[in-house]
Amino acid sequence: VSSSMRDDELFENDFMVLSTSTLSPVRRTTAPSQYPSSRDPTSRPTPSNPLTFYAIGDVPYNDMEACLLPHELRKLSASDAKFLIHLGDLRDGRPSSACTETLYEDIATIFEASPVPTFFVIGDNEWYDCGGTLADTSMAHWSEHLLSFHERNDMDWPPFDANVTHHPDHPEMYSFFLDDVLFLGQGLPGPQLVNMPSPEEWQNYLRDNVHWTRKHFSQNSQRMKAAVIMAHSSSGPVQPYFDALKRVASLYDETPILFLEDNHWFEKETYPDYPNLYRIALDDTVTPTSITVDTDATGGEITDVFRYDRRCPCSSFHRPTRLYSYSSEECEGVCDTIYLCDGENVCGMNGATCW
């Protein structure tokens, strides 16, 4: 990629003033894709071990989930993964009164149960959808309690061997390198139309997101073997970013790219025109998904480089996950912790009232 190529020139068509239709959610269908043969990792001179991390999003939305989450987090193993990422939406999108500082303090308390360093990307429910003048205050609370949560030195976490850098104007955007894999945290919430900032402000914010992505791809093109982009959403008001990402994928067509987001249903999608791009959207279960990045995979598919394990999502008696793909025998006992949150028991530990 030419270092002289300007982002504004390359992506100008992706940032026309947002129309009402742009703000509508986009539904996708899954299509298979062949990973480019030129990207065969067997030719790499320096093999590396697969890198695994955990991901979760769209929880907790209610007291039951707030009660369940610490139990599910304690099931994780620090020996199995490098870190945990929460992909945004720490509460449901109902009244803005829920966006008090207590919300962010409680989330921090819940995720103290994580056995690995834990990151957050910003979602709309804890930012813009707090409503009107509360958006700035909510972002301040999020930044105070969650932005640097991974840096906490009072947790019994293994060392996190990576330098995390933040965007100078939008610290909710960040980057780090692990095992030759570039990780980018992006600021891509999907606010309700009534809570959207002005078109000009939003367009500039999306442009800054694209510049953040392009900057790190350009700076690390000779170093990175794969890239993982962690964000809250890829559609609706942030669709222009994802369209721009496809163009990034075409420019760096030998770099496998995973776009990881959360949703209210599980999705996975490949792109025939961009065979090095893969999108996974998690659903709103309290069980973190395990994501593995294997830059030396030999299967020839983008889905061999990026693999996931939904770890028998615990779903009984609260909002069910969709596309539940495990047999009852395979996952027998996985939801036993649900009964810890029935009646009285341990619910008070997180201020939750369980039902």
Side-chain angles (χ1 to χ4, degrees):
V1 178
S2 171
S3 60
S4 63
M5 186 178 296
R6 293 178 59 240
D7 291 335
D8 290 347
E9 295 172 350
L10 188 60
F11 295 104
E12 191 63 37
N13 291 335
D14 294 315
F15 289 96
M16 303 297 288
V17 175
L18 300 178
S19 64
T20 301
S21 60
T22 305
L23 299 174
S24 301
V26 176
R27 297 301 303 274
R28 302 181 174 87
T29 57
T30 300
S33 174
Q34 181 67 30
Y35 191 58
S37 58
S38 63
R39 194 65 171 82
D40 184 357
T42 58
S43 63
R44 299 179 189 278
T46 55
S48 59
N49 294 323
L51 182 158
T52 298
F53 63 97
Y54 298 118
I56 194 171
D58 267 329
V59 289
Y61 268 33
N62 54 48
D63 287 344
M64 177 62 119
E65 291 176 352
C67 186
L68 284 169
L69 257 175
H71 298 297
E72 291 299 297
L73 293 174
R74 291 189 190 100
K75 293 179 183 178
L76 306 179
S77 171
S79 63
D80 293 338
K82 298 281 190 179
F83 66 92
L84 167 68
I85 176 71
H86 189 292
L87 296 165
D89 276 7
L90 306 168
R91 67 174 196 102
D92 64 22
R94 288 182 293 182
S96 58
S97 59
C99 293
T100 62
E101 187 170 10
T102 302
L103 165 69
Y104 307 89
E105 293 172 336
D106 288 348
I107 293 297
T109 299
I110 287 172
F111 279 87
E112 287 176 355
S114 170
V116 291
T118 299
F119 291 81
F120 295 82
V121 294
I122 192 75
D124 45 278
N125 286 5
E126 61 269 18
W127 186 10
Y128 281 110
D129 287 344
C130 291
T133 58
L134 290 177
D136 289 343
T137 303
S138 300
M139 170 57 91
H141 293 327
W142 183 90
S143 299
E144 172 69 21
H145 297 285
L146 302 176
L147 177 61
S148 301
F149 189 81
H150 63 279
E151 296 179 356
R152 289 193 44 173
N153 56 18
D154 60 334
M155 307 297 296
D156 188 22
W157 289 338
F160 186 71
D161 188 23
N163 180 37
V164 182
T165 61
H166 293 265
H167 190 289
D169 299 319
H170 309 291
E172 68 275 12
M173 303 179 200
Y174 52 86
S175 70
F176 57 86
F177 249 96
L178 280 175
D179 299 346
D180 295 323
V181 179
L182 171 65
F183 289 88
L184 294 178
Q186 297 285 160
L188 298 173
Q192 299 175 25
L193 184 58
V194 68
N195 295 322
M196 287 290 295
S198 71
E200 180 180 5
E201 180 182 349
W202 187 247
Q203 179 173 313
N204 289 337
Y205 186 65
L206 290 185
R207 187 185 296 275
D208 287 346
N209 267 277
V210 173
H211 288 182
W212 182 248
T213 300
R214 291 243 314 133
K215 169 187 174 182
H216 287 281
F217 271 69
S218 178
Q219 289 180 345
N220 300 289
S221 60
Q222 301 303 312
R223 175 186 177 189
M224 62 182 177
K225 294 182 179 180
V228 178
I229 297 174
M230 306 173 293
H232 179 62
S233 180
S234 65
S235 60
V238 302
Q239 181 71 41
Y241 170 88
F242 196 73
D243 292 340
L245 179 62
K246 290 178 180 178
R247 300 189 66 176
V248 171
S250 69
L251 290 169
Y252 298 88
D253 59 354
E254 293 191 354
T255 299
I257 302 170
L258 173 65
F259 186 91
L260 184 62
E261 62 177 307
D262 69 82
N263 212 331
H264 293 292
W265 54 90
F266 184 86
E267 291 182 323
K268 55 182 179 178
E269 183 176 14
T270 55
Y271 302 87
D273 293 337
Y274 310 95
N276 60 318
L277 178 61
Y278 187 29
R279 184 182 69 90
I280 295 177
L282 305 184
D283 56 4
D284 44 25
T285 176
V286 296
T287 303
T289 294
S290 174
I291 306 288
T292 296
V293 185
D294 186 356
T295 58
D296 295 308
T298 59
E301 301 283 345
I302 189 69
T303 52
D304 296 315
V305 179
F306 301 112
R307 303 189 298 271
Y308 66 88
D309 180 358
R310 300 187 66 203
R311 302 179 54 256
C312 296
C314 182
S315 303
S316 301
F317 298 101
H318 70 291
R319 295 178 304 130
T321 183
R322 302 184 187 183
L323 303 182
Y324 192 85
S325 57
Y326 295 92
S327 67
S328 59
E329 294 80 12
E330 184 178 357
C331 290
E332 184 176 1
V334 71
C335 286
D336 286 351
T337 54
I338 211 84
Y339 300 107
L340 293 174
C341 292
D342 280 342
E344 300 175 12
N345 255 338
V346 299
C347 294
M349 65 182 296
N350 290 312
T353 303
C354 298
W355 24 266

